[in-house]
Amino acid sequence: MNAKELKRFLVFLVGIFLFFIEAKAQFGFPYCETFQTSTTQANTVFGGDAVLVDGVLRLTNNQNNQVGYVYIDVPFPSAYGIKAEFEYFSYGGVGQFLADGLSIFLFDATTQNFSPGGFGGSLGYAPRNEEPGLTNAYLGIGFDEFGNFGNRAEGKNGGFQGVAEELVPDAIVVRGPGNGFTGYPFVVGRKTMASGTDKDGFGPGSQFPISSGGAGTFRVTEPGQVGYRKVFLELQPDPDGVGYFLTLRMMVTTEPGQPRMVTIFDRPYDFPAPKELKIGFAASTGGFTNFHEIRNLKVEVSASESLLDPTGVDFEDVASCEGQENQYYITDEEVVLPNQDSQIRCLQFFRSLEEIETNSSDICNQGKCLEENQVLVLPQGILQAGEAGAYTFFPNPGTRDQEVEVYYTITDNYGKTSSGNKITLTIQESPSPVRILAEEAQNPLEETFNLCPGESVIFNSEGDEAYQRYEWYKNGILLEEEIAASLTVSEPGLYEIWAYNRKNCPAKSNRIQVNYPEYPTLQMSGPVVGCEVGKPVNIFDFLINYEPENYDYKLVGNGLDLTNEELQQVSQSGNFELSVKPKDFDCFGGAIEVEVFIQTIPLTVDFDFVVEGTDIKDEASGGIFADDPIAFTDFSDERAIRWVWDFGDGNTLMQQNPVHVFGKKGEFEVVLTIEDEYGCQSKFQKTVAITQSYRIMIPSGFTPLEEENNFFVPKYKGLVSIDLMIFNSWGELIFQTDELESNGWDGTFKGELMDAGFYVYRFDGISIDGEKVTRSGKFRLVR
């Protein structure tokens, strides 16, 4: 690597590291967030309608039924308490009243599934009717504009003395711990606009409204302007050991140019705290509205005077190897971390003690892990800090036998920083890389090595010099017990070996990814069926999730052993086993049973038909009428288990031997489709000719006084309506009927039997296929 290439490489490493540092999450205190940039720290968690806008964190718009919250996902030990300050802006409301308000809340830091409480008058903290309260809540302070946070409405636990569900607007209320629908008791409240001797109010001239203004007002950001609000909260550990001493102060401006500090609460909060807590904020609106916003948040430990600076140690003769990255760790045991539950938050590197600056008076600058101090580019190489106490040193090629002196500080999770200590790094020659070989193999392995289930392999390291010790790594994790030059591998993973020479510099091997196959689930859509006699079948047409680009397939059974494309031309019936493997492996997985059926004898189909109860089937045998029931008889292959008749008139039936009435004249192509147990089908078609739609026979006479033939009535078939009229010789209508089942004329008129002689009839009808029928003539009445 020449000088130019080396320079580019070093710049690349620095860029990657700075990106990594920028992406890291906040760890510990102080926690400062202005909300005036386009993004926030990774541990600032938003929810609901909360959004960054116009240099603030807006929890609600001045719209109805808004809910917003944010919490800082950084735990702080309850043993030291907490201090927080922030500006808040409440303005621009719509409606007769301003609503609802804003809350500060603390909750148990061990909570896995955070959820805010009820909104509306519960301000995201307390329960609200069927809505549970904030998860594992410890403390809630509500800045209540509308007046529901300090009463018992909507299922809340307690309120101002003498108050049930009446509104208590412009009040600051403290509620205690709770979870779900239990707890969240009213602890104390102050009515910020109340005066006089009211113990819940303020002395004369100290009153102020929670909101800085209603409709048409704007955000007030200058302390000297009327409407400015800033909150200072402190929870000091109680000397008695239970809970805290709660102090809440506010900077408010009610007169131009005269900001004043008002003490809201200065009292004990006697509830035992969980080991660690987290802080958050919520706001809501209902039928009335307001903008609710915060900015310039600072969160720090309360009992800061109880915190001590960490103490580092000097590290002498730290060996490093040129031309490769060397990893080091400063552990909690090697340095002094005097504060309870203290951890190393970050390392910072300097060229000299003089470069280490003392803590700034600005709490947000104290204990900052500055990006520029976490990577140090030296003539001999790059030193860079990682997570917690980890760091790396990459000595440049050609720096063998040189010595590097640098200085470091450690900062703990409370923002306390050590004064500075020295690290002396000695650069040694790096050995040539070693190679990994599989047992009995002559050549180094490639990037991957595939094994079958139950198999193992012995990896051996091979190098160009003598080595003092070995370290095997799997997926980047040291295998503590594996210290030999060989390793038996029986699990998947990324393996490498470091072989240390007499100067304790590691010769690192290539990395080998050991894979075991992951078999897909084989599933068939059903038996593999070939319905065409003698034609081979394609197994893959019936395989669900067929992936030929990723897997190999094998079919075994009945003397066959087929793979991949061969499974597309299977010409033998029987039961087989189908198995699969990833293409890069030699072992097939567990097989499934596959049934293959290929038709060897054609499936025959035939049928015949007659008019039911007769032998009529065509014109020659008497003709078929439209309303004749026709019986169909199946003469198909006995292997058929399913029959589908299509009568050609839009009707179908699924019976073996159906009876069907066509109801009109015409030629109908009747198709019978049969199916066997494998789903194979065969069809047969015949024509049924319906040539006659009706028949009419008119008698020439009748004898009304005899026992037989004593009514005059036409005999007919295939008619759906009739009209029979009888006239005497003078043309008078003497009988009429339109009943299809009428007995006809009995020879009488007005109760008297008519004389013998000739009479005239007219017969009108409509056939079943809609044809109009008319008959007329004479007949004889015989007495």
Side-chain angles (χ1 to χ4, degrees), residues 599-730:
Q599 199 78 265
T600 58
I601 302 174
L603 194 62
T604 59
V605 57
D606 191 14
F607 70 89
D608 205 353
F609 62 91
V610 293
V611 175
E612 188 176 36
T614 75
D615 57 359
I616 300 173
K617 61 184 299 181
D618 51 27
E619 192 66 23
S621 57
I624 303 175
F625 285 82
D627 60 349
D628 280 339
I630 301 175
F632 292 87
T633 304
D634 169 51
F635 294 110
S636 301
D637 197 305
E638 63 181 9
R639 290 174 290 169
I641 63 169
R642 187 169 178 263
W643 300 264
V644 179
W645 296 85
D646 184 342
F647 297 107
D649 61 354
N651 294 299
T652 60
L653 281 175
M654 297 179 65
Q655 299 173 10
Q656 185 175 6
N657 299 300
V659 175
H660 181 64
V661 176
F662 286 90
K664 59 184 177 181
K665 292 191 295 184
E667 290 188 348
F668 300 92
E669 301 299 329
V670 178
V671 179
L672 170 60
T673 302
I674 64 170
E675 185 176 301
D676 67 8
E677 63 176 310
Y678 294 100
C680 293
Q681 296 181 344
S682 187
K683 296 181 180 181
F684 181 68
Q685 175 178 307
K686 273 188 178 182
T687 301
V688 177
I690 310 296
T691 57
Q692 302 180 42
S693 62
Y694 67 93
R695 178 187 293 129
I696 302 174
M697 293 181 292
I698 307 293
S700 58
F702 77 115
T703 56
L705 297 178
E706 302 291 333
E707 290 185 5
E708 296 182 358
N709 194 29
N710 54 358
F711 283 89
F712 174 81
V713 62
K715 304 295 183 182
Y716 53 85
K717 181 179 181 179
L719 299 182
V720 296
S721 68
I722 66 165
D723 187 11
L724 173 64
M725 293 177 288
I726 307 295
F727 302 90
N728 61 21
S729 57
W730 292 283

Side-chain angles (χ1 to χ4, degrees), residues 412-648:
D412 71 6
N413 50 310
Y414 298 102
K416 294 298 182 178
T417 302
S418 65
S419 60
N421 294 88
K422 183 171 66 174
I423 300 176
T424 303
L425 297 135
T426 58
I427 304 173
Q428 301 175 156
E429 179 183 7
S430 291
S432 300
V434 294
R435 300 166 292 281
I436 295 180
L437 291 80
E439 190 175 43
E440 301 179 357
Q442 300 297 318
N443 299 314
L445 297 176
E446 300 296 333
E447 294 180 354
T448 60
F449 192 86
N450 295 328
L451 293 171
C452 292
E455 291 183 349
S456 61
V457 64
I458 297 177
F459 282 168
N460 294 310
S461 67
E462 178 186 77
D464 300 329
E465 59 180 294
Y467 303 101
Q468 305 297 310
R469 62 187 179 92
Y470 300 91
E471 291 178 349
W472 284 95
Y473 290 84
K474 174 188 173 185
N475 299 328
I477 299 174
L478 176 66
L479 302 176
E480 298 282 355
E481 305 299 324
E482 302 296 340
I483 57 175
S486 62
L487 175 70
T488 300
V489 175
S490 57
E491 294 179 349
L494 185 64
Y495 291 86
E496 64 178 312
I497 186 172
W498 293 11
Y500 287 84
N501 64 10
R502 58 186 177 80
K503 295 183 179 180
N504 204 35
C505 280
K508 301 179 182 180
S509 72
N510 52 319
R511 295 181 177 182
I512 306 298
Q513 177 66 49
V514 175
N515 297 316
Y516 283 83
E518 293 184 5
Y519 297 108
T521 300
L522 291 176
Q523 186 177 357
M524 306 296 292
S525 60
V528 179
V529 176
C531 294
E532 295 186 41
V533 176
K535 184 177 180 180
V537 293
N538 185 348
I539 301 296
F540 298 133
D541 288 343
F542 300 82
L543 177 63
I544 300 173
N545 296 330
Y546 172 50
E547 300 180 55
E549 66 278 4
N550 298 323
Y551 299 100
D552 292 325
Y553 299 85
K554 181 168 68 172
L555 188 74
V556 176
N558 298 312
L560 298 181
D561 190 345
L562 308 177
T563 57
N564 292 338
E565 291 80 5
E566 295 173 334
L567 275 68
Q568 298 174 359
Q569 295 287 322
V570 177
S571 57
Q572 183 176 324
S573 297
N575 291 321
F576 299 85
E577 288 188 342
L578 176 66
S579 55
V580 64
K581 72 174 183 65
K583 282 193 172 295
D584 294 335
F585 290 82
D586 297 327
C587 39
F588 284 88
I592 63 170
E593 186 173 301
V594 175
E595 180 185 0
V596 177
F597 170 78
I598 301 174
Q599 199 78 265
T600 58
I601 302 174
L603 194 62
T604 59
V605 57
D606 191 14
F607 70 89
D608 205 353
F609 62 91
V610 293
V611 175
E612 188 176 36
T614 75
D615 57 359
I616 300 173
K617 61 184 299 181
D618 51 27
E619 192 66 23
S621 57
I624 303 175
F625 285 82
D627 60 349
D628 280 339
I630 301 175
F632 292 87
T633 304
D634 169 51
F635 294 110
S636 301
D637 197 305
E638 63 181 9
R639 290 174 290 169
I641 63 169
R642 187 169 178 263
W643 300 264
V644 179
W645 296 85
D646 184 342
F647 297 107

